[in-house]
Amino acid sequence: MVHSASLCACLSLLTVLSCHSHVLPRLSFPIGNPGRSLTVFTNPDVYNTTTLLLSNDEGTLFVGARDAILTINVSQSDAMTMEKKLDWSPSEKDLVDCAMKGKMKMDCHNFVRVLQVLNSTHMYACGTFAFSPRCIYINSKTFAMAIGPSGKPEEGRGRCPYDPYQKNTAITVDGELYTGTVADYRGTRPVISRHLSEGSHVDLKLDDTLGWLEDPTFISSTYVPSEEKVYIFFSEIGKEYDFIDKFIVSRVAQVCTSDVGGQRTLQKRWTTFAKAQLLCQADQELPYNILQDIVSLSPPEGTSEDETLFYGIFTSQWQVNLGRSAVCAFSLKDIKKVFTGHYKVLNRDTLKWSTRVQEQMANPGECGLHNASDNTLRFVKDNFLADKSVRPVNQGLELVSPDKSYSNIAAQRVRGAHGRDYTVLYLLTESGYLHKVVLLKNRAHIIEEIQVFQQPQQVKNLLLSVSKGAVLIGSSEGVISVPMSNCSYYWSCAECVLARDPFCGWDPVMKLCTDMHTHDHLVQDVDEGNVSAQCTYVSSMSRSGQSRTPSTVCPPGEVLSVSLNEVVHLQCPEASHLAKRHWERLNSQLSPKIYIQSDDGSLSFVATPSTLGHYLCQTVENGYTQTLLVYHVKQKSNPTILPATPNHPPSTPSTKAGNKTPVHTPRLIAPRQTEPRPEPDDVDPTVTLKDSPVATTHKSRNFTRLLGMDKENSRMTEPGENLQQADKLSYFQELVVVSVLLALCVSALLMIAVKSLRHLYHGRTVLEAPSSRRDAENGGSATPQERESLRGHSPRLEKRNGQAPNGQAHNGKSPITLSNSMLNSSNGHLPNTPM
């Protein structure tokens, strides 16, 4: 059994990794990157700004902090200013009492955990208040403490947790407060209750008997007006499962707002309480059973409220899924269906659950049971756990993060092109990154990830200001506002379409990527991201009249002069995490025996006559290929000969640094990029390629790099023509160089031959000594010294290790010295530059 369980776990892990490995953020923005602006509110006297509440007009943000409540003006999307601050600190006696209970001094402050709008004139707030919860009323106009019905601050037990680290939930409906928290100092008495009841209503809570809640962790709550029900979401120990270890399950519970408790049975207790399991599980996988956060998304206009969706973040207690998160969606229709079905029965003696077999006396969870008989209410008291679980929409997971643990979520419905609605999720990771996700058919696409924290922070919730277009995040160190859209970052139609952001569309008239709500004729393809179908109008026409797709158009080239046998490094920047980079040569293949393509996209090789030429840095994303950079690698020429430079559009600024020419390159995002990304249009930022003497410059987001300008004929030409012209000029220059070197070589050979003849003639005209003739006549009986002397006047020319005849070195005085570079340059081989 153990081996079988392990095998199943391994298969589940492999299945998950294979199915969800493609879920990767397209772009990454490290903190401080100018490509993604953030607005941060911090104050040296304010801490733990975690509880957030937006006003009805979304112009004011109410913040519950440590020992204070703030109002922040968020009417401007790029600024947050504190307007008022209400101090609410424990007294010295409260702090001393808290310390005597054995609590840390830093935990004895008043952490505001409940902040709700009570009515049109007042707000209601509750805080931990040195482990002795308190609640106050706040006048909305004067933002000052108001006197409640009791004339003094109210006790917060059952409304707010004692411990600032315990999770809780609270919501107000018609001036009444519905909470889920703990009602004792030790945190062992969980309770779902109603407070501030008015009229015929009375304050209600769960019965104190065991079984209603099992060590829960409260997450969130929401109100559905058509149902007149409050739904509470939490995690707890699932007692219905008979496991050795404690098995945690996620729950949704409901109570009716019209509930007033029973007349005799369940007096001042809920008669409509019911709960069911939320099952976030895909086929043949272990469930993600621990709920971290959940948010409701209202249905589209004109549809039933049953189409309300609840998007939740789930993690797993199983070792095989540790460090991973899943997002599941549940519909209100499915929740209602489960609550109207069968229920399990709890044996109060053994505290064991079983499937009910007795006659159903009532439907638990149904509103209006407060007038039922005692037998019916006793039946409801023992039958409040639904038999079936609520399964996710489409019976699957919306998203699985293979290496990120999500902690908070927010959801929004966005109207895209052609009136199509898309669901956008904002997911905050525990490591401090905000993921912006759009849900497509049967999969999810992470548009971008934005780093909002340097260190992990305690975050209670995320708020969306739809009218201001901002995501508000309250953390322990401050409040951060993140713009929902970042359309101006995408510089071309291709990038705007590949982003697949429902907020953004390409304007073919203005030639820029802009927000969808500003125009109706924008180009967008969120579902497919098909660049060829959406951006055909940017194609250029060749002289033959045939259209060219954007992928075949090359930007102007960067001329890189190198010496032979020099190691060349060419950098290819990263367009996105989903794009694959590769290198191309015109009419040539990149052999792995000669070229090294690294994981960072760079290309390395040794400069030889055969490796000189043009190199194209290209990326492929979603079937679309685009050329980012073109390098023209050429040999360093004679300083007296001017190098060839490709043609540029008239608007391109020129550079005077050596043989370098400017190349227009798009703004590219890379997770390891250290250079700041350009933002303003009137700035000329320079991106320096690592390990390469190449500098690339661009001036504006609206790039006009697809076509070159023929200045002489005043017409638009293709970039290929520029490259051909440069090649022709390069051939002529090198032909001149080769001819000169050939002439020099012939002259050198002639001079060497003349000198050799002179030495030969001089040796033959030397008079022989009588002793030499006698020795010759006697058969060569010369002494060794004489033979050595004669050998020194030999007419043969020898040259060893740079020594001239007679053992004398040239010492650089030879008329012509042939170096290796000259030989290589005169071997008749021209650089392999394609036509």
Side-chain angles (χ1 to χ4, degrees):
M1 292 297 292
V2 175
H3 294 289
S4 178
S6 301
L7 179 60
C8 293
C10 294
L11 292 176
S12 299
L13 178 61
L14 292 176
T15 303
V16 172
L17 293 178
S18 62
C19 294
H20 305 288
S21 59
H22 66 279
V23 182
L24 186 70
R26 183 178 183 270
L27 298 178
S28 295
F29 294 93
I31 194 168
N33 192 309
R36 202 61 163 95
S37 60
L38 305 176
T39 304
V40 182
F41 167 79
T42 57
N43 190 295
D45 299 327
V46 177
Y47 307 92
N48 294 91
T49 53
T50 55
T51 304
L52 306 181
L53 176 66
L54 265 176
S55 61
N56 293 331
D57 61 356
E58 297 187 350
T60 302
L61 179 67
F62 302 101
V63 180
R66 191 184 79 179
D67 299 334
I69 302 175
L70 317 174
T71 61
I72 299 177
N73 188 339
V74 292
S75 58
Q76 301 296 327
S77 59
D78 57 348
M80 290 190 295
T81 56
M82 185 176 67
E83 294 182 339
K84 297 180 181 179
K85 178 182 178 182
L86 176 62
D87 291 324
W88 187 23
S89 304
S91 63
E92 289 296 332
K93 182 179 182 303
D94 295 325
L95 296 177
V96 171
D97 293 342
C98 179
M100 292 181 64
K101 296 176 183 178
K103 300 301 179 181
M104 301 282 294
K105 182 179 180 181
M106 61 180 300
D107 298 335
C108 289
H109 293 275
N110 181 27
F111 296 87
V112 179
R113 302 304 302 273
V114 176
L115 186 60
Q116 293 288 319
V117 175
L118 196 60
N119 49 44
S120 60
T121 60
H122 289 82
M123 300 172 60
Y124 194 74
C126 298
T128 58
F129 212 81
F131 280 80
S132 180
R134 304 274 182 86
C135 297
I136 58 172
Y137 294 87
I138 302 175
N139 189 306
S140 301
K141 294 183 179 180
T142 62
F143 202 68
M145 292 187 187
I147 299 176
S150 61
K152 58 182 180 180
E154 298 185 356
E155 184 181 1
R157 184 175 60 179
R159 309 178 189 187
C160 178
Y162 288 72
D163 193 328
Y165 301 104
Q166 282 184 327
K167 293 185 176 182
N168 69 301
T169 180
I171 188 174
T172 55
V173 179
D174 297 331
E176 297 177 331
L177 181 68
Y178 295 80
T179 64
T181 184
V182 292
D184 66 330
Y185 174 81
R186 297 178 179 273
T188 58
R189 288 182 54 196
V191 62
I192 295 175
S193 54
R194 182 176 68 192
H195 306 271
L196 310 178
S197 300
E198 297 180 350
S200 60
H201 286 190
V202 295
D203 290 352
L204 299 178
K205 63 179 181 179
L206 289 179
D207 193 273
D208 293 334
T209 56
L210 297 176
W212 291 77
L213 297 172
E214 297 289 347
D215 193 16
T217 300
F218 294 101
I219 302 299
S220 178
S221 55
T222 186
Y223 172 61
V224 180
S226 63
E227 297 292 311
E228 294 186 351
K229 292 180 179 179
V230 174
Y231 290 92
I232 303 99
F233 299 90
F234 58 96
S235 295
E236 66 173 355
I237 299 174
K239 290 292 187 179
E240 68 270 27
Y241 296 98
D242 192 11
F243 290 167
I244 297 177
D245 295 332
K246 293 181 180 180
F247 178 56
I248 301 176
V249 297
S250 298
R251 303 285 198 198
V252 54
Q254 65 164 29
V255 292
C256 294
T257 57
S258 59
D259 198 343
V260 295
Q263 297 179 358
R264 288 179 297 272
T265 303
L266 295 179
Q267 285 187 5
K268 294 185 179 182
R269 300 293 188 268
W270 294 108
T271 63
T272 58
F273 174 79
K275 65 181 181 180
Q277 180 181 355
L278 296 174
L279 188 59
C280 182
Q281 181 182 18
D283 294 338
Q284 298 180 352
E285 294 182 14
L286 293 173
Y288 292 84
N289 55 322
I290 304 176
L291 180 63
Q292 299 295 332
D293 194 17
I294 195 166
V295 66
S296 62
L297 181 62
S298 301
E301 296 181 3
T303 60
S304 172
E305 202 165 19
D306 287 351
E307 302 302 320
T308 301
L309 295 177
F310 300 93
Y311 288 93
I313 297 173
F314 295 82
T315 56
S316 177
Q317 73 179 94
W318 311 109
Q319 186 70 27
V320 69
N321 287 331
L322 285 181
R324 307 172 65 227
S325 298
V327 177
C328 283
F330 305 92
S331 68
L332 178 61
K333 179 175 59 178
D334 293 338
I335 293 176
K336 290 170 57 178
K337 183 178 179 181
V338 169
F339 279 135
T340 56
H342 295 288
Y343 281 76
K344 298 180 184 297
V345 60
L346 177 63
N347 188 326
R348 292 292 177 180
D349 296 331
T350 61
L351 295 179
K352 298 293 186 181
W353 290 94
S354 61
T355 303
R356 186 183 60 208
V357 294
Q358 69 269 33
E359 180 182 358
Q360 181 174 348
M361 300 181 62
N363 186 16
E366 182 181 356
C367 297
L369 292 178
H370 52 275
N371 292 324
S373 63
D374 291 342
N375 290 335
T376 301
L377 293 180
R378 279 193 291 268
F379 174 82
V380 171
K381 185 178 179 180
D382 295 334
N383 298 264
F384 53 86
L385 176 61
D387 185 43
K388 294 187 177 297
S389 301
V390 182
R391 299 195 64 86
V393 176
N394 300 325
Q395 306 299 314
L397 312 179
E398 299 291 336
L399 170 67
V400 172
S401 176
D403 57 352
K404 300 289 186 181
S405 295
Y406 293 129
S407 60
N408 301 86
I409 184 173
Q412 180 186 11
R413 184 170 284 105
V414 180
R415 180 64 56 88
H418 311 295
R420 175 75 183 276
D421 287 337
Y422 296 94
T423 299
V424 177
L425 303 180
Y426 303 93
L427 303 169
L428 185 66
T429 69
E430 292 181 352
S431 57
Y433 283 85
L434 182 68
H435 285 191
K436 179 181 174 183
V437 183
V438 59
L439 300 182
L440 307 176
K441 296 180 180 178
N442 301 324
R443 63 191 183 95
H445 173 65
I446 304 180
I447 301 172
E448 57 186 349
E449 68 172 0
I450 309 146
Q451 186 180 10
V452 293
F453 303 129
Q454 287 282 12
Q455 300 294 332
Q457 301 287 321
Q458 179 185 358
V459 176
K460 193 172 185 295
N461 57 358
L462 301 181
L463 287 185
L464 299 183
S465 178
V466 178
S467 61
K468 310 303 178 186
V471 183
L472 301 174
I473 306 172
S475 71
S476 56
E477 294 185 356
V479 180
I480 298 178
S481 176
V482 183
M484 292 178 176
S485 62
N486 192 30
C487 302
S488 61
Y489 180 81
Y490 307 109
W491 71 89
S492 66
C493 177
E495 284 296 315
C496 192
V497 172
L498 287 174
R500 306 172 82 166
D501 190 337
F503 286 96
C504 303
W506 180 259
D507 189 336
V509 179
M510 301 298 296
K511 297 292 189 292
L512 54 84
C513 192
T514 184
D515 291 336
M516 285 297 302
H517 67 271
T518 59
H519 301 83
D520 297 330
H521 60 280
L522 301 183
V523 174
Q524 185 187 78
D525 189 1
V526 178
D527 295 298
E528 302 297 334
N530 193 332
V531 176
S532 301
Q534 301 297 330
C535 300
T536 54
Y537 57 85
V538 301
S539 302
S540 61
M541 296 297 294
S542 63
R543 284 179 293 178
S544 62
Q546 297 178 352
S547 63
R548 296 166 57 91
T549 61
S551 62
T552 61
V553 180
C554 301
E558 172 75 20
V559 177
L560 182 62
S561 298
V562 300
S563 301
L564 293 180
N565 299 326
E566 177 184 347
V567 178
V568 182
H569 298 282
L570 303 181
Q571 296 293 326
C572 186
E574 186 177 39
S576 77
H577 297 320
L578 303 183
K580 295 182 178 180
R581 292 173 286 184
H582 67 278
W583 290 87
E584 293 288 343
R585 287 197 69 185
L586 300 178
N587 304 324
S588 179
Q589 297 293 331
L590 299 182
S591 173
K593 297 181 180 179
I594 302 177
Y595 299 93
I596 299 177
Q597 301 189 43
S598 304
D599 295 336
D600 61 356
S602 63
L603 180 69
S604 302
F605 58 92
V606 177
T608 63
S610 62
T611 59
L612 300 179
H614 290 93
Y615 293 85
L616 280 68
C617 162
Q618 295 182 334
T619 61
V620 180
E621 181 177 353
N622 199 28
Y624 172 74
T625 302
Q626 59 179 332
T627 300
L628 300 182
L629 293 174
V630 175
Y631 292 97
H632 180 194
V633 181
K634 59 177 298 184
Q635 183 182 353
K636 290 182 179 179
S637 57
N638 194 315
T640 60
I641 301 177
L642 296 178
T645 57
N647 294 332
H648 302 281
S651 61
T652 304
S654 61
T655 59
K656 298 182 181 180
N659 295 330
K660 299 177 183 178
T661 57
V663 56
H664 292 285
T665 57
R667 294 178 305 139
L668 303 170
I669 185 67
R672 296 179 295 274
Q673 184 176 354
T674 58
E675 294 293 328
R677 186 173 304 285
E679 268 299 304
D681 291 339
D682 57 349
V683 179
D684 292 346
T686 300
V687 180
T688 303
L689 300 179
K690 185 179 180 182
D691 299 330
S692 175
V694 181
T696 60
T697 305
H698 64 83
K699 185 175 182 180
S700 173
R701 293 192 187 97
N702 188 14
F703 291 93
T704 57
R705 62 182 176 85
L706 297 182
L707 296 176
M709 176 65 74
D710 188 340
K711 297 182 179 179
E712 296 180 359
N713 300 326
S714 299
R715 62 179 179 87
M716 301 300 291
T717 61
E718 301 178 38
E721 296 181 83
N722 297 336
L723 300 180
Q724 293 175 3
Q725 293 173 4
D727 292 340
K728 292 179 180 178
L729 186 57
S730 177
Y731 276 125
F732 177 74
Q733 292 176 353
E734 295 183 5
L735 181 61
V736 173
V737 173
V738 171
S739 300
V740 172
L741 292 177
L742 183 60
L744 293 175
C745 291
V746 172
S747 300
L749 292 175
L750 290 176
M751 295 181 67
I752 294 174
V754 170
K755 188 174 182 180
S756 300
L757 291 175
R758 289 178 60 187
H759 279 285
L760 181 63
Y761 178 76
H762 180 269
R764 289 184 177 180
T765 57
V766 175
L767 297 177
E768 296 181 357
S771 60
S772 299
R773 290 195 300 267
R774 184 175 60 251
D775 293 339
E777 292 174 357
N778 295 332
S781 60
T783 64
Q785 291 82 1
E786 292 174 339
R787 287 196 297 270
E788 184 65 24
S789 175
L790 290 174
R791 192 176 293 114
H793 291 82
S794 177
R796 291 177 300 172
L797 299 178
E798 296 182 359
K799 181 179 180 181
R800 295 186 181 92
N801 299 326
Q803 300 292 326
N806 302 326
Q808 295 179 353
H810 287 289
N811 295 328
K813 296 181 180 180
S814 176
I816 295 295
T817 301
L818 299 181
S819 63
N820 290 335
S821 60
M822 296 180 67
L823 290 175
N824 289 336
S825 300
S826 62
N827 59 4
H829 294 285
L830 297 179
N832 186 20
T833 304
M835 293 294 294

